[in-house]
Amino acid sequence: MNLTRRNLMRMSAAPLIVPSRVFGKAAPSNRIQMGFIGTGNNGYGSLRQFMTKDRVKVVAVCDVNRESAGYWQGTVRGWEPARQLVNKYYADNVCAVATDYREILDRRDIDAVYIATPDHWHCIQVLDACKAGKHIFCQKPLSLRVVEGRLMSDAVKKAGITFQTGSQQRSAPNFHRACELVRNGAIGKLVTVRVGLPGGANDVGKVAHLTDPAPVPPGFDYDRWLGPAPEAPYCPARVGVNFRWNRDYSGGQITDWGAHHIDIAQWGIGAELSGPVAVRNARGRFAEHPIYNTAVEFSFECEYANGVRMLVSSKERGGVRFEGTDGWIWCDRGQYECSSPEVWASRIPARGVRLYQSFEHVTNFINCVFTKSPTVAPVEVAHRSVTVAHLANIALLTGRDLRWDPQTERILGDEGAADMLKPRWRSPYRPR
C-alpha cells in the first residue's frame, strides 16, 4: 500500500476492522478492551477520549484512591468517579475496579492499558505490562531516571507490543510541519534551538501550605501510592496534582514540559534516537518548601555531535525556536512564526525527509494496535527526549558540566553524576 498523506488521513479517521490474528497475544475481537491504571489527573481526563472511539471499550479502572479532591482545577477524582463515568457512558454498569494495577494486568480479557500514575511508578508498571503482553499508552514524562527508560524501551521491544507515549505534540500539525521544514533545510543549516519551559512549582491543587503530617484519608492506599519511592509521612501537599514538584516522584517543569518541547527540539535536530554529547552551564534555583524541591528557575545548554546547540531556559519564550543560517521558525501549541512567509510555504523536496505524521494521538495508538505499526511517539523516542531533562536535573544538582555518550548512555568521567542515572526502588515495590 502506498502510504501517501491522503491514505494516512483516511487511516486516522476511519474505523479499521482487522482480523484478530494480527494481534498475536491480544485483542481477540474487533474492539480493544482497555484498563486504565491511574484515574486521578490525566487518566481520568483521557477516559472520554478513549471511550468515544468505536474500536475501544474501557472495562476496568484502577487507582489507589477511591475518591477525593486535590486534582486538576480542584476536581474530585479517583477510581469511583472513573467507574461511574465509564458505566454512565456505556450504560452497562460492568466496569471493574482495582487498587492494585496487577489485577488489571492479570485479566486475560484486557488487551491494552493506559498508564497515568505519577512518574516514579511508570517503569515498574510498564515492565509488568510488557510481561503480561498488554499494549501500552503511557503518559509522559516517561521515567524518573535514565536507566528506567532504557529498561522500558528494551522490554517493549522484547514483548513486541504497541507503545504510545502521551507526547501529543507529535500529533499536532504545526510541530510536525516545523520539524519537517527544519530537517529539509528551509532555514538553511540549523545552528541553535531555543526551548522555553515554564518555571515555578505551581500549587495547582491549592494545598502547598498543607505540609504537616496528617491522617491518611479513608479509601486512599498511601503506601501503594508511594510505591517504589522512599517512605514519607502523608500530607496533602505531597499527593494529587502536585507530586511533580518533588524529586522522589518527578523532575519538576524540566521533565514535565521538557518531555514535550525538548522532544520536539530533538525531532527537528534529527536526534530523536540519540541525544546530546554534553550538557553545560546549568544554572537554577530550587524551590524552598518543606515538600517541593524541584528547580523553579533554570537554564542549561546541550551540544550535539552535529554542532547544533540547544538552549533551554525558564526565561526563554515558551515553545521551540529553530534558528538556521537562512532564517528561523518558532512553534508552540496551535501557533507558529517564521522569519518570512516563504519559510513556512517552502516545499519539501521529492526526495526530502518525510517525518511520521499522525493526525490524532489516541487514534494513532488505536490504528497501530491493529496494524502492528510503530506509533508517532514510541518508547525509545520518549526515552531519548526525557533523558535530556534528567541530565539537566543532574547537572543542576551537582553543579557540574556533563559529558554524555548517547550510544552507551553513560555519563563520562563523573562517577557521582553517573550514579544518579540509576533507579532506587523501595522494597517490595519492584517489577514482577
Side-chain angles (χ1 to χ4, degrees):
M1 178 180 181
N2 181 20
L3 289 181
T4 63
R5 190 166 297 186
R6 182 174 296 177
N7 286 333
L8 282 168
M9 287 183 72
R10 288 198 190 106
M11 287 176 66
S12 179
L16 182 62
I17 305 301
V18 178
S20 60
R21 63 179 179 272
V22 306
F23 282 98
K25 297 179 182 178
S29 69
N30 289 327
R31 188 152 68 165
I32 303 165
Q33 299 214 127
M34 288 193 67
F36 269 59
I37 300 172
T39 56
N41 298 308
N42 293 80
Y44 183 92
S46 295
L47 272 171
R48 282 191 179 89
Q49 287 182 280
F50 281 85
M51 289 189 304
T52 56
K53 305 298 183 183
D54 291 340
R55 292 173 291 161
V56 170
K57 183 171 184 181
V58 177
V59 298
V61 295
C62 173
D63 201 278
V64 296
N65 184 19
R66 177 185 174 91
E67 184 175 14
S68 74
Y71 296 97
W72 287 121
Q73 300 163 336
T75 53
V76 175
R77 298 184 176 181
W79 64 253
E80 176 59 22
R83 182 188 69 83
Q84 292 179 15
L85 181 66
V86 173
N87 283 338
K88 182 178 180 181
Y89 182 82
Y90 294 118
D92 57 11
N93 203 40
V94 296
C95 179
V97 298
T99 57
D100 186 337
Y101 72 94
R102 292 171 297 186
E103 296 179 28
I104 302 293
L105 300 183
D106 287 342
R107 286 183 50 160
R108 295 175 62 86
D109 62 328
I110 288 180
D111 309 307
V113 291
Y114 184 105
I115 297 176
T117 49
D119 310 353
H120 69 287
W121 258 115
H122 286 177
C123 181
I124 293 173
Q125 291 170 338
V126 165
L127 295 182
D128 284 347
C130 285
K131 289 178 183 176
K134 309 301 184 187
H135 303 293
I136 303 168
F137 189 116
C138 182
Q139 266 304 332
K140 44 59 61 184
L142 179 72
S143 60
L144 184 65
R145 296 179 185 267
V146 171
V147 170
E148 292 181 347
R150 171 50 50 215
L151 292 172
M152 283 188 267
S153 187
D154 290 349
V156 167
K157 182 177 180 180
K158 180 180 179 180
I161 53 94
T162 298
F163 190 103
Q164 178 84 295
T165 315
S167 301
Q168 75 272 17
Q169 290 183 174
R170 282 185 166 253
S171 292
N174 62 317
F175 287 113
H176 176 272
R177 176 68 173 165
C179 291
E180 200 167 74
L181 288 170
V182 171
R183 294 279 287 268
N184 284 281
I187 59 172
K189 182 180 179 181
L190 182 62
V191 177
T192 303
V193 184
R194 299 181 184 274
V195 177
L197 307 179
N202 300 331
D203 179 17
V204 183
K206 307 301 179 188
V207 294
H209 62 291
L210 300 176
T211 60
D212 292 336
V216 177
F220 185 26
D221 188 341
Y222 176 62
D223 187 74
R224 189 172 296 279
W225 184 93
L226 285 173
E231 287 191 44
Y234 170 84
C235 69
R238 189 178 296 276
V239 299
V241 72
N242 292 306
F243 73 86
R244 66 201 70 224
W245 318 131
N246 186 293
R247 294 197 301 269
D248 286 338
Y249 322 124
S250 188
Q253 298 284 27
I254 293 177
T255 59
D256 201 53
W257 271 93
H260 286 305
H261 287 338
I262 292 173
D263 179 55
I264 296 299
Q266 292 209 137
W267 207 16
I269 293 169
E272 67 268 33
L273 293 175
S274 59
V277 296
V279 178
R280 300 193 178 100
N281 301 319
R283 304 287 184 272
R285 180 175 65 85
F286 290 87
E288 298 177 3
H289 186 272
I291 305 297
Y292 308 147
N293 56 12
T294 55
V296 293
E297 293 179 2
F298 51 85
S299 63
F300 57 93
E301 302 176 11
C302 295
E303 177 187 335
Y304 289 81
N306 61 3
V308 173
R309 282 198 319 153
M310 180 171 70
L311 311 178
V312 183
S313 173
S314 57
K315 298 192 180 205
E316 285 279 355
R317 182 186 186 188
V320 184
R321 177 181 164 109
F322 298 99
E323 299 175 351
T325 54
D326 299 330
W328 55 267
I329 298 174
W330 170 85
C331 53
D332 200 355
R333 295 189 174 182
Q335 307 173 71
Y336 70 88
E337 294 174 5
C338 301
S339 51
S340 70
E342 291 75 23
V343 167
W344 198 258
S346 299
R347 298 188 65 176
I348 306 300
R351 296 189 177 181
V353 177
R354 295 282 180 172
L355 299 181
Y356 187 130
Q357 189 158 24
S358 159
F359 298 91
E360 202 276 327
H361 213 58
V362 170
T363 301
N364 175 252
F365 171 69
I366 296 167
N367 285 342
C368 292
V369 169
F370 278 96
T371 62
K372 302 178 76 171
S373 305
T375 64
V376 71
V379 63
E380 181 69 20
V381 168
H383 164 55
R384 296 292 184 162
S385 298
V386 79
T387 287
V388 180
H390 292 323
L391 292 174
N393 271 329
I394 292 172
L396 283 167
L397 290 165
T398 61
R400 298 192 291 269
D401 292 347
L402 304 177
R403 290 187 297 134
W404 175 248
D405 184 339
Q407 289 189 320
T408 62
E409 296 183 89
R410 293 179 180 175
I411 293 174
L412 306 177
D414 189 332
E415 292 184 7
D419 188 60
M420 299 171 74
L421 301 172
K422 304 171 186 175
R424 290 165 173 78
W425 294 328
R426 179 174 66 107
S427 183
Y429 295 100
R430 298 175 180 275
R432 288 184 178 180

